[in-house]
Amino acid sequence: MGTIESFALDRRSAAPYDPLYDPLVSSNPGLGMDYAPTYWVATAGEPPEDDGPLAGDADVDVVIVGAGFTGLSTALFLAREHGIRATVLEANQTCWGCTSRNGGQGQNASGRLYRSQWIDRWGKDTALRLDAEIREGFNTFKSLIAEVPECDPQPGGHLYIAHRDRKMDFLRNEAKVMRDVFGYDTRILSRDEVREQYVDDQENCGALHEPDGIGVHPLKLAFGYLRMARALGAHVHPSTPVLGVETINGVHHVRTPRGVVRAKAVAFATGGYTRNDVTKALRAKIMPILSNSLVTRVLTPDEIAATNFRTHEVITDTRTLRYYYRLLPDNRLQIGSRSSITGADAQNPKHMAVLVEGLHRKFPALKGIQIDYSWWGWVDVSHDMMPRVTQPDPRQNLFYAVGYGGNGVSFSAHAGRRLAQRIAGQRDPSWDLPIYDSALQYPNVFGTVQWQGFAPFRRIGQRFLYQRYHAQDEAR
């Protein structure tokens, strides 16, 4: 764990952005570190005012660790719905982690399991209740977008494209389950319908279209959360890393480089940037996975015609190591997919080459197009592929909301609302749902051993799985 002495106390002397930062092995969360060089950062405008680095000791009601989507929405709903003014502590800049590095795809989902898998795992009745909760979460997301219209919303739905013919049976089954069991207006589209009505992705073999999906400028949206939360009395302190939390006589002592913050409740909203050493409650509970993203220069009218982009909807393909992409409001193309296994290898050009090759495969007319922005960021994947918004120990007022598995843009809004309810001690019938009623688990090794230590060695298994997934994804 880092010590107070290991951090500069002057924000002006903070280190620049570290492209090799790896939450699984690093004990230094940074101090006012610059943003990653994303398209979102370049186009969001100046960040809203914050409350500056926290100086000295303090006594507060609630500390929220992490000033991204989840932390800021939690602070917003605590103030708006419960009259509680939270103190948000952020190691670097506001919205520095997942929030400013994602693809901006808001979908009616959370975690990495499909609705048919919900039925297999928990039964139809629980799956129906979980669907109602996720659907309510998407409405929470839409309501916040309506309050931040400058976030460039692109509604219309989600297009899930089969990248191989053999994936169409899977999509047909999911469409049927979503339609017959959950009541969604899903449609199966032929290869020609996708090409003629949506986009000419050269890997397209047909698609599932679902009506719920909104693309956003994630950083503009998060900046809106920040402004609204502070207007209601929340305090947001960047350049204030949490070095550890100790509970003494029921009071949480949150250690920062400049002093100790004593709080009645602490909530962690650190997503893919959750360090192993920040709290025992989250040690080895999240597997951070790197995702690469790029944004091209503005497409010309001829290039738009050649790719036949007729939609600005959010799009993903059916690979396990999926590609996600969309045409942005300014007619740039954004696309993302998997990246390096470790932070130390993140700058290796071969990882970005995989993404560029995927872009060229899907859209040969864009081969050689200038890439104006490229970056990578950590995704928080739980070991059972579903998020948790929970209080892991009912004897302690310590909470967390993590594990979105790449679907945090939309669900983080509702996770913040539910996390605020839990912090405020409000009872709710939804608390017995799988994403609320249990703590995150350690990974199982060979079905029996709980692998709590040696977290970096899990990367060996990840490397093996990536090789297997790639072989399966690309098989004809």
Side-chain angles (χ1 to χ4, degrees):
M1 182 172 298
T3 64
I4 292 176
E5 292 75 22
S6 68
F7 296 92
L9 300 187
D10 185 343
R11 190 175 183 183
R12 292 169 299 178
S13 65
Y17 165 65
D18 177 9
L20 306 182
Y21 176 76
D22 188 332
L24 194 59
V25 297
S26 176
S27 61
N28 184 343
L31 182 76
M33 195 184 300
D34 288 343
Y35 288 105
T38 74
Y39 169 79
W40 315 122
V41 170
T43 57
E46 285 297 312
E49 288 188 6
D50 53 52
D51 295 284
L54 190 67
D57 294 348
D59 292 284
V60 304
D61 288 330
V62 177
V63 162
I64 299 171
V65 186
F69 276 140
T70 303
L72 294 174
S73 62
T74 302
L76 170 60
F77 285 116
L78 274 172
R80 178 179 287 180
E81 298 183 347
H82 306 285
I84 298 172
R85 297 180 178 181
T87 297
V88 184
L89 305 182
E90 165 60 48
N92 297 296
Q93 312 295 331
T94 55
C95 316
W96 176 84
C98 308
T99 299
S100 59
R101 309 189 201 202
N102 59 75
Q105 291 200 3
Q107 297 180 26
N108 182 24
S110 189
R112 298 186 69 84
L113 297 184
Y114 305 106
R115 279 165 173 77
S116 62
Q117 293 173 305
W118 296 356
I119 296 172
D120 292 342
R121 182 174 290 190
W122 297 297
K124 181 179 175 180
D125 290 344
T126 297
L128 284 167
R129 291 184 59 225
L130 183 57
D131 173 73
E133 178 68 11
I134 300 300
R135 198 181 299 211
E136 182 181 347
F138 194 72
N139 286 332
T140 300
F141 174 61
K142 289 195 292 186
S143 72
L144 290 181
I145 288 176
E147 296 185 66
V148 192
E150 67 272 18
C151 73
D152 303 331
Q154 295 177 298
H158 170 228
L159 190 64
Y160 196 12
I161 292 181
H163 76 288
R164 296 287 186 269
D165 285 322
R166 58 186 170 80
K167 299 301 290 188
M168 284 302 296
D169 285 344
F170 158 72
L171 291 183
R172 291 187 187 98
N173 180 68
E174 284 305 312
K176 187 176 189 309
V177 169
M178 292 183 71
R179 186 173 54 250
D180 294 351
V181 178
F182 299 102
Y184 288 101
D185 183 21
T186 54
R187 292 183 295 135
I188 288 294
L189 304 172
S190 69
R191 186 193 317 259
D192 288 342
E193 287 174 318
V194 173
R195 179 183 301 119
E196 294 166 5
Q197 300 173 23
Y198 293 91
V199 64
D200 191 10
D201 179 335
Q202 293 294 297
E203 295 186 310
N204 151 50
C205 296
L208 181 159
H209 187 271
E210 52 183 319
D212 296 317
I214 305 175
V216 295
H217 190 303
L219 193 51
K220 288 182 181 179
L221 180 60
F223 282 170
Y225 292 3
L226 173 58
R227 282 190 292 267
M228 290 189 290
R230 291 189 69 247
L232 291 171
H235 297 282
V236 181
H237 298 281
S239 299
T240 307
V242 169
L243 308 180
V245 180
E246 183 181 10
T247 305
I248 303 174
N249 297 325
V251 177
H252 301 291
H253 290 60
V254 182
R255 189 159 55 90
T256 79
R258 300 172 185 84
V260 175
V261 184
R262 292 171 291 272
K264 299 173 185 176
V266 176
F268 288 88
T270 42
Y273 292 80
T274 304
R275 302 188 336 269
N276 269 316
D277 61 352
V278 70
T279 173
K280 289 177 66 175
L282 285 169
R283 186 175 300 160
K285 301 292 184 66
I286 288 292
M287 185 65 177
I289 303 292
L290 268 181
S291 180
N292 263 351
S293 193
L294 65 80
V295 172
T296 69
R297 62 157 168 76
V298 177
L299 271 60
T300 66
D302 286 345
E303 287 167 337
I304 292 177
T307 55
N308 206 37
F309 260 105
R310 294 177 174 268
T311 183
H312 286 271
E313 293 184 24
V314 296
I315 304 172
T316 54
D317 72 15
T318 49
R319 288 176 168 85
T320 302
L321 303 175
R322 68 186 62 172
Y323 287 87
Y324 52 93
Y325 63 92
R326 63 187 170 113
L327 192 65
L328 299 176
D330 60 1
N331 286 338
R332 297 174 186 268
L333 179 61
Q334 181 274 330
I335 185 169
S337 188
R338 67 182 176 91
S339 183
S340 168
I341 301 290
T342 68
D345 191 43
Q347 288 182 303
N348 191 320
K350 70 180 183 181
H351 303 300
M352 188 56 66
V354 169
L355 186 55
V356 172
E357 180 188 353
L359 170 66
H360 294 167
R361 254 194 337 265
K362 291 178 177 296
F363 305 108
L366 301 183
K367 190 167 186 178
I369 191 171
Q370 178 178 311
I371 308 301
D372 279 356
Y373 303 91
S374 66
W375 67 90
W376 48 86
W378 294 99
V379 179
D380 51 326
V381 179
S382 68
H383 300 294
D384 66 356
M385 302 298 170
M386 290 297 285
R388 293 296 192 287
V389 183
T390 193
Q391 180 182 10
D393 184 345
R395 298 167 298 180
Q396 289 193 325
N397 285 327
L398 189 149
F399 309 83
Y400 56 72
V402 292
Y404 308 132
N407 277 310
V409 171
S410 55
F411 187 70
S412 58
H414 196 62
R417 185 174 224 156
R418 289 304 200 189
L419 190 58
Q421 285 181 260
R422 303 205 80 147
I423 293 168
Q426 186 177 92
R427 295 182 178 275
D428 194 278
S430 67
W431 292 161
D432 66 349
L433 286 171
I435 59 176
Y436 300 132
D437 74 345
S438 63
L440 289 166
Q441 300 299 311
Y442 293 111
N444 277 341
V445 179
F446 304 121
T448 56
V449 180
Q450 296 291 312
W451 205 356
Q452 301 177 24
F454 304 105
F457 290 98
R458 284 180 280 155
R459 291 309 184 25
I460 298 173
Q462 182 187 351
R463 194 177 303 277
F464 170 77
L465 286 174
Y466 270 24
Q467 292 171 349
R468 190 177 80 181
Y469 291 153
H470 178 74
Q472 292 173 344
D473 285 341
E474 304 311 322
R476 292 287 177 178

